[in-house]
Amino acid sequence: MRSLPLSSSAFDAGRHAEAHLAADFAGGCTMLRRQHVGYPFHVTRGFYLDVARPELLTLYLQSASGGLYAGDRLKLDVAVAANAAFHLTTQASTVVHHGRESGALQQQAITVGPGAFCAIASDPYVLFPGADLCLDTIATVADDAVLFLADGFAVHDPKQAGRPFASFSSRQRILRPDGRILLLDRGSIRGDEMRNGALGDMAAVASIVLIAPPDRLPDVGTFSRIVDTCGCLSGASPAPNGAGLVMRILAPDGGTLARGLEAAFHVAGRAALGADLARRRK
């Protein structure tokens, strides 16, 4: 039997995989109407964790591999139908390995229907030395829907030899169903910039976009204050075109950042759904 090279092998050109998830509201709760998940993606059964909002479906998206590798091109397609309530998160942080001049690309296409609630809240990526990761997200959100979208990263050098990651970049495009652009956000940072103090002594960074009608948004000051109590340094402001709120978060490490993102999810969930949500155990 011939052995195949591991995903991290120099002989591997990277993986191309897609995951498609469609959530509908039926019978008083949200359920997965369709799922197609290719390796390395993996999902378990859905969970209904909130007594006050029993229709809210929480799904953990897992990785069946050891993280993201050079040449990986992964795409996640999420569709949340009218009046559904869906929360997609990860089971843990995802390690990003050396990019080997080809890097890794994670794409997301999200559609949120009228009256729906959708939260895509991944744990921070962990950038190993040489990691080169690009996140590219496009979301279409109905006028009265809610989208909570969070992504970020933490830096980790296992040998503590001062070796930086290569690059992290993110692009987010938020549109209305008629194609009108609400928000376009782009950012990038190189590892040597962080090593040279571009973010002070902080080693973890995240962005949050919260698209919602005004009556389903949290108070800006409360939003930031609760995240800061987790040990983070955050700043929130209104999003362009009256779309909602945006937040940037800095943290000294990945664990602190993960706690700040979790707190932000609960603040946003309380404002959007009118109830305190249960803790998502991992």
Side-chain angles (χ1 to χ4, degrees):
M1 182 174 67
R2 184 170 63 92
S3 296
L4 295 178
L6 298 175
S7 296
S8 57
S9 167
F11 301 104
D12 195 351
R15 300 165 296 186
H16 291 248
E18 296 186 7
H20 301 271
L21 302 171
D24 279 3
F25 182 75
C29 67
T30 301
M31 59 185 64
L32 278 182
R33 174 178 57 82
R34 178 174 61 90
Q35 66 177 50
H36 174 79
V37 181
Y39 180 86
F41 294 113
H42 175 71
V43 294
T44 61
R45 67 177 181 86
F47 295 90
Y48 298 92
L49 303 172
D50 304 284
V51 175
R53 298 304 301 251
E55 77 279 14
L56 175 56
L57 170 64
T58 294
L59 193 69
Y60 290 87
L61 182 67
Q62 301 176 323
S63 173
S65 69
L68 291 173
Y69 295 91
D72 280 357
R73 302 292 183 263
L74 307 183
K75 183 176 181 180
L76 173 64
D77 187 341
V78 177
V80 182
N83 302 315
F86 183 61
H87 174 214
L88 183 67
T89 187
T90 51
Q91 88 284 9
S93 294
T94 299
V95 172
V96 185
H97 297 275
H98 198 294
R100 303 190 185 199
E101 299 184 357
S102 58
L105 172 64
Q106 171 78 64
Q107 294 178 297
Q108 295 183 133
I110 305 165
T111 303
V112 190
F117 172 86
C118 175
I120 310 290
S122 300
D123 288 284
Y125 294 91
V126 178
L127 303 185
F128 274 33
D132 184 356
L133 176 62
C134 177
L135 305 179
D136 187 2
T137 300
I138 182 168
T140 302
V141 185
D143 290 356
D144 60 347
V146 175
L147 171 65
F148 176 91
L149 180 63
D151 62 57
F153 70 88
V155 179
H156 181 59
D157 181 0
K159 296 184 179 180
Q160 299 183 348
R163 302 171 299 164
F165 66 94
S167 176
F168 176 88
S169 62
S170 175
R171 180 172 68 164
Q172 296 175 337
R173 290 163 290 170
I174 312 296
L175 301 85
R176 290 301 189 203
D178 62 3
R180 178 166 54 96
I181 296 176
L182 290 179
L183 182 151
L184 177 60
D185 184 41
R186 295 176 178 173
S188 65
I189 188 167
R190 298 193 307 274
D192 56 4
E193 292 174 331
M194 283 193 66
R195 184 177 58 180
N196 294 331
L199 299 177
D201 58 356
M202 298 297 186
V205 185
S207 296
I208 293 173
V209 173
L210 178 56
I211 306 299
D215 61 347
R216 301 182 74 184
L217 289 171
D219 173 73
V220 175
T222 301
F223 202 22
S224 289
R225 185 171 61 255
I226 292 178
V227 172
D228 290 349
T229 60
C230 299
C232 300
L233 178 63
S234 68
S237 61
N241 300 307
L245 298 175
V246 293
M247 174 180 278
R248 308 291 193 208
I249 305 175
L250 298 176
D253 53 63
T256 302
L257 180 60
R259 290 190 291 273
L261 290 173
E262 181 182 14
F265 164 72
H266 283 275
V267 173
R270 169 73 183 181
L273 299 174
D276 290 321
L277 302 181
R279 181 185 176 191
R280 270 58 183 167
R281 297 185 181 275
K282 300 184 179 182

PDB file of all heavy atoms in Angstrom, residues 203 236 262:
ATOM      1  N   ALA A 203      -0.433  40.679  21.493  1.00  0.00           N
ATOM      2  CA  ALA A 203      -0.102  39.547  20.632  1.00  0.00           C
ATOM      3  C   ALA A 203      -1.339  38.934  19.981  1.00  0.00           C
ATOM      4  O   ALA A 203      -1.233  37.893  19.332  1.00  0.00           O
ATOM      5  CB  ALA A 203       0.637  38.475  21.433  1.00  0.00           C
ATOM      6  N   ALA A 236     -15.356  50.493  19.899  1.00  0.00           N
ATOM      7  CA  ALA A 236     -16.514  50.253  19.043  1.00  0.00           C
ATOM      8  C   ALA A 236     -17.040  51.576  18.515  1.00  0.00           C
ATOM      9  O   ALA A 236     -16.937  52.615  19.177  1.00  0.00           O
ATOM     10  CB  ALA A 236     -17.619  49.519  19.806  1.00  0.00           C
ATOM     11  N   GLU A 262     -16.064  35.973  23.223  1.00  0.00           N
ATOM     12  CA  GLU A 262     -17.230  35.311  23.806  1.00  0.00           C
ATOM     13  C   GLU A 262     -18.133  36.327  24.500  1.00  0.00           C
ATOM     14  O   GLU A 262     -19.363  36.284  24.363  1.00  0.00           O
ATOM     15  CB  GLU A 262     -16.778  34.238  24.801  1.00  0.00           C
ATOM     16  CG  GLU A 262     -17.948  33.484  25.438  1.00  0.00           C
ATOM     17  CD  GLU A 262     -17.498  32.460  26.460  1.00  0.00           C
ATOM     18  OE1 GLU A 262     -16.324  32.507  26.877  1.00  0.00           O
ATOM     19  OE2 GLU A 262     -18.326  31.620  26.864  1.00  0.00           O
TER      20      GLU A 262
END
